[in-house]
Amino acid sequence: MTVPLPHPSPGTAGFALGEEVADALARGLPVVALESTILSHGLPRPRNLEVGREIEATVRAAGAVPATIGVLGGRVVVGLDDAQVERLALGDGVLKVSIRDLPAAMARGADGATTVASTSALAARAGIGVFATGGLGGVHRGFVQSGDESADLGALARTPITVVCAGVKSILDVPATLERLETLSVTVVGYGTTRFPGFYLSDSGHGLDWRVDTPAEVAAIVAARDALALPGALVVANPLPVAEQLDPALHDRVLTEGLAGLDREGVTGKAVTPYLLAHFHEATGGASLDVNVRIILRNADLAARIAVAARTRSAVVPA
Ligand code: PSU
Ligand code: MN
């Protein structure tokens, strides 16, 4: 069941809130946005559907309402129900929908899964302030030849949302992505660390200027950002504990093979990230899948605690 988005956003047939999410937002309860590309294009079936459910359960256990976002039959839904999540996780022909794909996918009546970029934009439009994902997109290795930089970065530059992630995917050019985040004025803080996490790896090898240690500190940064009406996102980089990371030697070997596979098979554009993630899951015999799931669940838990802290803060200190 969905209800149209309330005023001031137009309640068009093309954009709806799930009933529980609409109710939570109306009551000022903590809500966490979740993306669907991670399910449809980032994880193998049928584990992807189980993970989608585990993510939502994790958000609930930490006291917030999950709002998984996607496009169903051309309609944007913020707060998919279980049958709708299943349709995006297991359905055939589900598109990977970034911001530029949204209007075309909607007009065509397509089913589509939203990326970090489109999920951020849609969540902010619905009034949701916190979003959990696995790893952000960014500048790809070989950028000088391909010009491939994820639309996630531009979206974060202009969307005031808090994104909890384990850094950017380690398949990317991490230092170049950090430089771009600086240029785009996206605030990046390490959660319990001054090292930028490396997605499958706890430490990407690069440092951060800011460290926070509690959800309340994150909420204070958001409040300050909002007081200045700054336009960009806050990225909370939440590393896996070292004991849970993918073996670094295995990681490096599998990544080298995967990058060679891109060249050999001529994989480009939006297919690059799904190809590399699938290669990891296969070549590590599922080890990277377990790590990826751990990353997402830890981020969902932290995002929910941040949403709760932000609500507590706004209840105590009126804006
Ligand atoms: N994080 C994951 N798995 C994923 C993604 C992120 O752990 O599949 C997805 C997100 O939806 C992200 C997208 O926005 O990959 C980036 O794709 P691209 O590099 O084509 O922009
Ligand atoms: Mn790309």
Side-chain angles (χ1 to χ4, degrees):
M1 270 289 283
T2 56
V3 296
L5 195 68
H7 189 78
S9 306
T12 64
F15 193 136
L17 297 177
E19 213 172 5
E20 186 190 8
V21 170
D23 178 62
L25 290 171
R27 292 166 56 197
L29 300 177
V31 177
V32 172
L34 301 164
E35 60 155 313
S36 42
T37 291
I38 214 173
L39 303 178
S40 64
H41 292 74
L43 298 168
R45 303 172 183 200
R47 183 84 179 97
N48 62 342
L49 176 58
E50 295 165 12
V51 174
R53 292 176 174 152
E54 288 167 28
I55 298 169
E56 293 202 358
T58 301
V59 169
R60 287 185 199 285
V65 172
T68 305
I69 297 179
V71 182
L72 284 177
R75 188 183 206 209
V76 168
V77 180
V78 176
L80 298 166
D81 66 23
D82 192 68
Q84 293 171 325
V85 170
E86 179 170 338
R87 179 162 147 188
L88 292 185
L90 304 182
D92 291 323
V94 173
L95 306 172
K96 174 177 167 183
V97 175
S98 194
I99 294 175
R100 71 170 188 161
D101 305 304
L102 270 174
M106 291 172 75
R108 182 162 303 176
D111 280 2
T114 51
T115 64
V116 168
S118 50
T119 304
S120 299
L122 294 168
R125 184 165 146 77
I128 300 172
V130 186
F131 166 29
T133 183
L136 303 177
V139 179
H140 283 262
R141 295 168 196 244
F143 173 83
V144 174
Q145 287 79 40
S146 68
D148 190 355
E149 174 186 321
S150 176
D152 291 355
L153 299 185
L156 294 175
R158 56 180 187 270
T159 310
I161 194 161
T162 300
V163 184
V164 182
C165 61
V168 303
K169 284 182 280 285
S170 50
I171 58 177
L172 300 168
D173 183 335
V174 176
T177 303
L178 282 169
E179 291 293 347
R180 284 292 290 152
L181 287 168
E182 181 188 1
T183 303
L184 293 167
S185 297
V186 175
T187 305
V188 183
V189 301
Y191 196 81
T193 182
T194 52
R195 306 297 299 168
F196 190 57
F199 190 57
Y200 292 133
L201 305 176
S202 303
D203 182 347
S204 69
H206 301 274
L208 289 172
D209 292 337
W210 299 99
R211 166 182 173 147
V212 296
D213 292 282
T214 62
E217 282 178 79
V218 177
I221 294 172
V222 171
R225 190 263 322 269
D226 291 350
L228 295 177
L230 292 177
L234 168 61
V235 172
V236 178
N238 184 31
L240 271 181
V242 174
E244 294 182 33
Q245 71 176 351
L246 196 61
D247 170 41
L250 175 65
H251 173 273
D252 293 354
R253 181 165 55 73
V254 170
L255 178 57
T256 304
E257 286 164 15
L259 294 170
L262 287 178
D263 272 351
R264 198 175 52 241
E265 296 176 36
V267 179
T268 58
K270 69 202 277 186
V272 167
T273 298
Y275 174 92
L276 287 173
L277 292 175
H279 172 74
F280 261 92
H281 298 332
E282 223 169 278
T284 63
S288 75
L289 176 57
D290 292 342
V291 173
N292 203 341
V293 172
R294 277 294 294 156
I295 287 169
I296 300 167
L297 297 182
R298 283 171 51 82
N299 293 345
D301 172 68
L302 178 57
R305 289 186 290 125
I306 290 169
V308 169
R311 181 182 184 241
T312 308
R313 183 185 168 88
S314 58
V316 175
V317 190

